[in-house]
Structures are given as structure tokens and as C-alpha cells.
RNA sequence: GCUCCCAUCGUCUAGCGGUUAGGACGCCGCCCUCUCAAGGCGGAAACAGGGGUUCAAAUCCCCUUGGGAGCGCCA
């Protein structure tokens, strides 16, 4: 719950006349504002997506605002492709932002202003140390097994030092030498750092551009971010940022540092671990809500519940209840969850997501064949991914190019010919092409030939689908339609005969 | 090396001083069954180690060990 009082302004933004459709709102005086601030040096990965999700959920849960900010001050490594990949990833996941995307490169003026203020008030100073000297310093410190940090040579200088002075100075923040800073983290609790461990960090490069720790603070401040939710890897930066907030005369936001996601080898998640890009999961046939569910549940829980709708997540997610420890990404559980979501979803929803996969495979459900929604209904509980569903549904729209070797060998044997012929005949005479009738034909055929259902259903299945797997045979044939069914049975019968002829020849 | 964080089945987790340590994924059986699934039932599987505190510790404290992160004119 917000610890923040209404001290700043005290303007109650939440009034009874004001309604933006959110159901329940805890009492507060300031609207919660969260942000996701990726640096566009690569695609949106699983770890980033989770912090984005947590920020988004926290904002949605409290009727707040979610801001997207692109941290692109590193012009060397930021690319437009990466920006697009991130935006596309966010879009696919459905993590909509209320404000932004803001680009830090558009905001250099703002940083310059604050920088000047720190300089003017003596809270920052010019540092003329060369990279070479700094490098030497670091090496010496490391040789002495000390923590490398700036020694403060230029801290109290008025101008460039007489020796070893760089042409263009950087700007360093005058960090307090003594005392300590305590961060009250929503996830970790109180974390204490000794100021003596910190050094005077560079806040502006020699070319005048601001650095990360400075820009985040300025941006979070100006964008009114109340809750900074980000990766664990930033916890160590937080004390420096706290000092910057104070130097700029600003209120501190709440911090929440979410633990890292590790690969199966226990190392931080990276390309080596397979599909780490969010969009790759889309391409592999995952539903965005399944990924979101998985990500939410990785590091957070609500009793024994495993499957959550997005609405439930918004209602139940609590940033304070997030786990402390890093967690390992588990693809098989994600796969299971995806299936759960596929089974639970509305057929038309699945159909929408499935269509592109069919198109990709050269099939257009709009051009004849059974209604896609009906196919989805038949396949829903037998597909872990949309890719799998697409592959297994192709035969509804396209005659099998051939028969799977093993399936044919087992089911399209000479003795199946008679059964198939019989069924074809009965099917042709059915007054109505309907599941119940079809089922009756199959059971009666089994009785007539004194065989088990499998001896009838499997040859039919292979005949119409080309393989040994499909939804229940009556459902399958009903969907396929009489005409197609009869034609495919005929083809199978012809194939069996051809095989027999070849065998005896 | 220094600083910070973390530690329950293989994995995700419940547990917040007294439990036969619960659930889920995965795995293994069995049932259902026209295939594949789904579903049902059952099983194997964990408190990293050592000290305290306490009548009582998975739960609180300390140490050790192990893992992670940070220590840039990257973000």
C-alpha cells in the first residue's frame, strides 16, 4: 500500500465524479504512475517483458498510469530496429501505455537544465581526469584488491589540473562521503548502503551528453513516476539515484526491484537459452495471455492458482508479494499454460490468432472448407501451441499429399479396403451429414465386421487426414463435409488396391 | 577483491514459531478411450550446512557454503 502521504500538492486526483472504468481503487491521494524504460539495444526479451508486465499490472491494479520511455542515450548501440521490436513486442503482449513512448534523445534540453543547476549549486563539478589516468587508477585499486572507484582528484579543483588534464571535462556528481542511505524497497524491504562505498559518478560525458543514472532520475522525476519497478540489477544503482533525487530537491519514488530470470543453466537469461525474444514466442504459436500468465506467475503467486485471466491478474497482482529470489525460466510449464489458455479461450479468439499460421502454410480458411471456429473447437484440447493446431488442421482445408508411412502401414492394409468401401457406401446414403449419424455408421460398421471401433475409425482417419491423429472421427468427418469425405475414402481405397497390386506383381 | 541481493521437491511456488511440509509443471504407473489429446486416480521428489534463541524452528538471529548482481564518459 502507498506509504506516500498527500504532502506534495495534496490534490486528490481520485474523486467520485471521476471514473475511468476501473473497478476497485484503494484509497490514495496521488495517482500511481509506473513506467517501463527499456534501452533499445535489442529485442524485448522475457526478463524485460516481465518487469514491463509488473509495472503495467501495478498501474492497472491501482487505476494509475503506465508510461513507456525509450532510454536511447547510447547512440552507438541504440537502433531503430530494436525500438520497433520493443514496440511490437509490447503491442503483441497487449501492454498498452497511457503515455509515451518518450525518447531520451528528445529530452537533452531538460537534462542540460538540471545539470546546470547541479553545477551552479556546487553539487556537481567538472572533472578533467583522462581515461588513461582513470584506467590506471582502477588497475592499481584492483591490484590492491580494493573496490575500484574515482578518487576525487578534481572534486575540489577550480579549473583543470596542471598535469594530465583532458581537453573536455566530464561532469561528476558530488556524492556524500559519509553516512549511509537506506532504501525501502517494496520487494526487498530496507536495504542499507554506506556512502563511503559510492564514488562521484559521471553524470555528463565529455561531449555533454548525460549518462544513465542521471537521465533516469530526471525523467522519473519529471514524468511524475511514483513507483519505480525495475530489474534487480539496478538495486546497486539506487543509492546513487537517491542522492541525485535529493540534490534535485525531489521526493523519492517507491522502489521495487524484481529478481532476475535465469536460464536453465542458472545463468542470467540470454540468447543462448533459446527463445528469449517475446516475438519469438508469438511466432512459435503462444498466446500473449499465456506468456503473460507465465511471467506473472514466475516470481509471484496467489495461493494455489496457476491459470489466470488478464482481468484476474489486474485484480490480484501485488507488487509487495513478489518473490525475493531469482527464478529459472521453465519452457515446459509455459507450454502447459499455453495449452490451458488455448482450451479456455473463446474459439473466435483462437481463430483470429490461428489464421496467420494457416496462411503461412498456404491455406485460406475463407476460401471454402469448414468454418475455422468449428475447427478450433474440435482442436482446442489437443494443441499446445497454435503452430501445432495449424499443422494438425491443415487437412481440413487441403487433401493430404500422401499418407504417413507408419500410419498407412498399420491402418491402410488390404483388410481395410472392405471396411472403407462399406463406410463410403453408408455415408453416401446418409439422409443428413451430421455427427450423430456419422457416429452411428462407424459403430454399426464395427459391429457388422465384428471388429473394434479402432479398426474402422483409424482407417477412416488415415484416409481423410493422412495421419493417425485427428479429433474424434465423427467430429472430423462432420467438419470435413460429405463430398470431401467420400472423395478421400475413394482415394484411400484406390491407394490400398495399388499397393496390393504392386505387392503381388 | 569489495558492496548489495538471494537460498523449500529437477523447475515455479505455498508456508510467515507447533503442518503427515501443500499445490503446479515435468517424470512414472493405473483408469477412461476410435487416434492424439483432455480428464480422473496414485507414485517418486525439497526445507544447502553448522551454530544459537525458544517448551517448540522450514519459519527468528549469526556464521559457512552456494548462486546472482553491481563496482564504465553502457543502460
Amino acid at each position: 500500500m502507498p506509504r506516500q502521504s498527500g504532502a506534495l500538492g495534496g490534490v486528490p486526483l481520485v474523486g467520485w465524479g471521476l471514473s475511468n472504468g476501473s473497478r476497485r481503487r484503494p484509497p490514495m491521494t496521488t495517482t500511481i504512475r509506473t513506467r517501463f524504460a527499456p534501452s533499445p539495444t535489442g529485442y524485448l526479451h522475457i526478463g524485460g517483458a516481465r518487469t514491463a508486465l509488473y509495472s503495467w499490472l501495478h498501474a492497472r491494479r491501482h487505476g494509475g498510469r503506465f508510461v513507456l520511455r525509450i532510454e536511447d542515450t547510447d547512440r552507438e548501440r541504440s537502433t531503430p530496429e530494436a525500438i520497433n521490436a520493443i514496440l511490437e513486442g509490447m503491442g503483441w503482449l497487449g501492454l498498452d501505455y497511457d503515455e509515451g513512448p518518450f525518447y531520451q534523445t528528445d529530452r537533452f534540453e531538460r537534462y542540460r537544465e538540471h545539470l546546470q543547476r547541479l553545477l551552479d549549486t556546487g553539487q556537481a563539478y567538472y572533472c578533467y581526469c583522462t581515461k588513461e589516468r582513470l584506467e590506471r587508477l582502477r588497475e592499481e585499486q584492483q591490484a590492491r584488491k580494493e573496490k575500484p572507484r574515482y578518487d576525487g582528484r578534481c572534486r575540489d579543483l577550480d579549473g583543470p589540473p596542471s598535469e594530465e588534464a583532458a581537453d573536455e571535462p566530464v561532469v561528476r556528481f558530488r556524492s556524500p562521503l559519509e553516512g549511509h542511505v537506506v532504501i525501502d524497497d517494496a520487494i526487498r524491504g530496507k536495504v542499507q548502503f554506506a556512502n563511503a562505498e559510492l564514488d562521484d559518478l559521471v553524470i555528463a560525458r565529455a561531449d555533454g551528453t548525460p549518462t544513465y543514472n542521471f537521465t533516469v532520475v530526471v525523467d522519473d522525476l519529471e514524468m511524475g513516476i511514483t513507483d519505480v519497478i525495475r530489474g534487480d540489477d539496478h538495486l546497486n544503482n539506487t543509492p546513487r539515484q537517491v542522492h541525485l533525487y535529493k540534490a534535485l530537491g525531489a521526493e523519492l519514488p517507491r522502489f521495487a526491484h524484481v529478481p532476475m530470470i535465469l536460464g536453465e543453466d542458472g545463468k542470467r537469461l540470454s540468447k543462448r537459452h533459446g527463445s528469449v525474444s517475446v516475438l519469438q514466442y508469438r511466432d512459435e504459436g503462444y498466446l500473449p495471455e499465456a506468456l503473460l500468465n507465465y511471467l506473472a506467475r514466475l516470481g509471484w503467486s496467489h495461493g494455489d492458482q496457476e491459470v489466470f485471466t488478464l482481468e484476474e491478474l489486474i485484480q490480484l497482482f501485488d507488487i509487495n508479494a513478489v518473490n525475493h529470489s531469482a527464478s529459472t525460466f521453465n519452457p515446459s510449464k509455459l507450454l502447459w499454460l499455453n495449452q490451458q489458455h488455448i482450451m479456455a479461450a473463446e474459439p473466435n479468439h483462437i481463430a483470429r490468432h490461428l489464421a496467420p499460421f494457416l496462411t503461412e502454410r498456404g491455406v485460406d480458411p475463407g476460401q471454402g472448407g469448414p468454418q475455422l471456429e468449428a475447427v478450433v473447437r474440435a482442436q482446442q484440447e489437443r494443441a499446445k501451441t497454435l503452430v501445432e493446431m495449424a499443422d494438425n488442421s491443415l487437412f481440413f482445408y487441403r487433401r493430404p499429399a500422401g499418407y504417413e508411412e507408419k500410419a498407412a502401414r498399420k491402418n491402410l492394409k488390404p483388410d481395410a479396403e472392405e471396411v472403407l468401401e462399406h463406410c463410403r457406401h453408408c455415408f453416401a446414403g446418409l439422409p443428413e451429414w451430421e455427427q450423430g449419424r456419422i457416429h452411428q455408421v462407424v459403430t454399426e460398421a464395427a459391429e457388422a465386421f465384428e471388429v473394434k471401433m479402432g479398426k474402422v475409425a483409424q482407417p477412416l482417419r488415415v484416409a481423410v487426414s493422412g495421419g493417425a491423429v485427428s479429433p474424434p472421427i465423427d467430429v472430423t468427418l462432420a467438419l470435413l463435409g460429405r463430398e470431401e469425405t467420400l472423395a478421400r475414402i475413394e482415394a484411400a481405397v484406390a491407394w490400398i488396391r495399388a499397393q496390393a497390386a504392386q505387392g503381388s506383381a
Side-chain angles (χ1 to χ4, degrees):
Chain A
M1 281 299 100
R3 280 170 268 113
Q4 203 165 338
S5 73
L8 52 167
V11 185
L13 297 175
V14 179
W16 11 286
L18 199 136
S19 161
N20 60 5
S22 75
R23 353 133 228 257
R24 226 155 34 87
R25 249 196 289 244
M28 69 177 97
T29 52
T30 310
T31 306
I32 295 268
R33 292 174 62 85
T34 65
R35 46 69 160 182
F36 177 53
S39 71
T41 52
Y43 44 67
L44 177 61
H45 58 90
I46 289 300
R50 189 178 61 162
T51 47
L53 171 65
Y54 284 9
S55 293
W56 183 86
L57 285 174
H58 187 63
R60 291 288 171 266
R61 157 90 196 266
H62 295 102
R65 311 271 290 171
F66 177 60
V67 179
L68 179 64
R69 181 174 73 228
I70 306 294
E71 311 222 318
D72 56 350
T73 53
D74 184 356
R75 287 156 150 166
E76 302 282 293
R77 295 196 296 160
S78 300
T79 66
E81 292 75 34
I83 293 174
N84 287 337
I86 289 167
L87 295 179
E88 197 180 346
M90 296 285 286
W92 177 68
L93 287 171
L95 300 179
D96 54 322
Y97 31 93
D98 305 300
E99 292 168 37
F102 297 115
Y103 295 86
Q104 292 193 317
T105 40
D106 291 341
R107 297 175 43 77
F108 279 6
E109 262 323 298
R110 305 299 308 137
Y111 308 131
R112 221 183 308 278
E113 231 170 85
H114 284 100
L115 191 68
Q116 194 51 244
R117 198 141 61 88
L118 291 182
L119 245 14
D120 291 346
T121 55
Q123 290 173 291
Y125 61 90
Y126 288 109
C127 170
Y128 293 88
C129 293
T130 59
K131 287 185 175 176
E132 292 70 40
R133 185 182 112 82
L134 262 17
E135 183 52 36
R136 229 167 40 231
L137 183 66
R138 240 191 304 275
E139 277 169 16
E140 286 166 11
Q141 287 164 331
Q142 265 159 2
R144 268 180 271 133
K145 297 197 184 297
E146 282 171 18
K147 182 177 187 167
R149 70 247 266 200
Y150 180 60
D151 63 354
R153 181 177 76 144
C154 300
R155 192 174 161 107
D156 296 311
L157 258 41
D158 283 333
S162 46
E163 293 176 4
E164 252 196 292
D167 297 337
E168 291 298 330
V170 299
V171 178
R172 283 187 190 270
F173 176 67
R174 194 182 299 275
S175 194
L177 270 13
E178 294 166 351
H180 56 261
V181 44
V182 177
I183 291 143
D184 197 359
D185 192 274
I187 295 172
R188 312 276 153 178
K190 287 184 167 45
V191 183
Q192 194 179 93
F193 294 86
N195 287 336
E197 289 295 330
L198 277 25
D199 65 354
D200 291 350
L201 68 151
V202 172
I203 56 177
R205 305 180 178 96
D207 66 3
T209 59
T211 60
Y212 170 73
N213 281 107
F214 185 57
T215 57
V216 245
V217 171
V218 170
D219 284 340
D220 284 341
L221 190 111
E222 295 204 336
M223 295 176 188
I225 302 304
T226 59
D227 296 67
V228 172
I229 298 171
R230 73 213 325 183
D232 214 353
D233 46 342
H234 289 286
L235 186 57
N236 285 290
N237 286 327
T238 310
R240 306 169 184 285
Q241 292 173 13
V242 166
H243 288 132
L244 281 167
Y245 271 99
K246 287 182 177 158
L248 293 169
E251 289 272 325
L252 286 179
R254 273 176 294 261
F255 290 104
H257 288 95
V258 323
M260 304 270 87
I261 297 178
L262 274 23
E264 280 171 304
D265 57 358
K267 294 276 184 280
R268 193 175 165 166
L269 207 60
S270 73
K271 294 116 231 144
R272 296 198 320 277
H273 302 93
S275 316
V276 288
S277 163
V278 159
L279 293 178
Q280 198 169 329
Y281 285 95
R282 175 195 63 188
D283 299 342
E284 287 172 5
Y286 287 83
L287 253 20
E289 58 266 38
L291 220 210
L292 256 17
N293 186 162
Y294 178 75
L295 256 20
R297 192 59 191 59
L298 191 65
W300 171 83
S301 63
H302 182 258
D304 285 341
Q305 190 170 349
E306 296 288 349
V307 183
F308 295 84
T309 63
L310 210 50
E311 290 67 35
E312 287 175 312
L313 287 178
I314 291 172
Q315 206 176 331
L316 300 169
F317 181 76
D318 181 2
I319 192 69
N320 301 108
V322 170
N323 257 254
H324 297 180
S325 49
S327 37
T328 307
F329 189 77
N330 182 194
S332 67
K333 185 155 183 182
L334 170 60
L335 195 59
W336 173 79
L337 256 179
N338 199 47
Q339 183 172 29
Q340 296 302 308
H341 280 270
I342 287 177
M343 286 193 291
E346 289 295 329
N348 64 33
H349 174 72
I350 300 295
R352 246 197 336 275
H353 279 86
L354 180 66
F357 290 97
L358 291 173
T359 307
E360 207 172 69
R361 286 160 177 72
V363 156
D364 181 1
Q367 303 293 107
Q371 199 201 4
L372 187 53
E373 261 186 59
V375 170
V376 167
R377 229 183 298 273
Q379 300 279 219
Q380 256 176 316
E381 64 185 24
R382 61 199 89 241
K384 287 183 176 2
T385 68
L386 297 177
V387 164
E388 195 182 325
M389 191 184 282
D391 285 338
N392 292 339
S393 302
L394 245 31
F395 77 89
F396 281 114
Y397 300 96
R398 186 162 73 195
R399 290 195 189 170
Y403 303 108
E404 275 172 31
E405 229 250 75
K406 197 178 159 193
R409 204 185 330 125
K410 199 171 168 197
N411 300 295
L412 295 186
K413 291 184 290 196
D415 63 342
E417 181 189 331
E418 208 183 344
V419 176
L420 286 174
E421 273 292 9
H422 171 85
C423 288
R424 195 195 61 80
H425 178 75
C426 295
F427 287 149
L430 240 31
E432 186 184 7
W433 193 249
E434 176 266 335
Q435 190 186 324
R437 304 255 187 199
I438 296 167
H439 187 255
Q440 205 179 346
V441 168
V442 176
T443 35
E444 282 173 4
E447 281 165 22
F449 287 90
E450 293 184 313
V451 293
K452 290 184 179 176
M453 276 282 277
K455 283 288 181 191
V456 181
Q458 277 309 86
L460 282 171
R461 178 167 279 119
V462 179
V464 300
S465 76
V469 175
S470 90
I473 196 66
D474 49 350
V475 174
T476 301
L477 299 185
L479 278 171
L480 199 56
R482 171 146 39 193
E483 202 184 323
E484 264 310 298
T485 300
L486 298 182
R488 292 187 191 187
I489 292 174
E490 272 164 38
V493 168
W495 186 85
I496 293 172
R497 284 185 185 143
Q499 290 290 305
Q502 203 176 60
S504 61

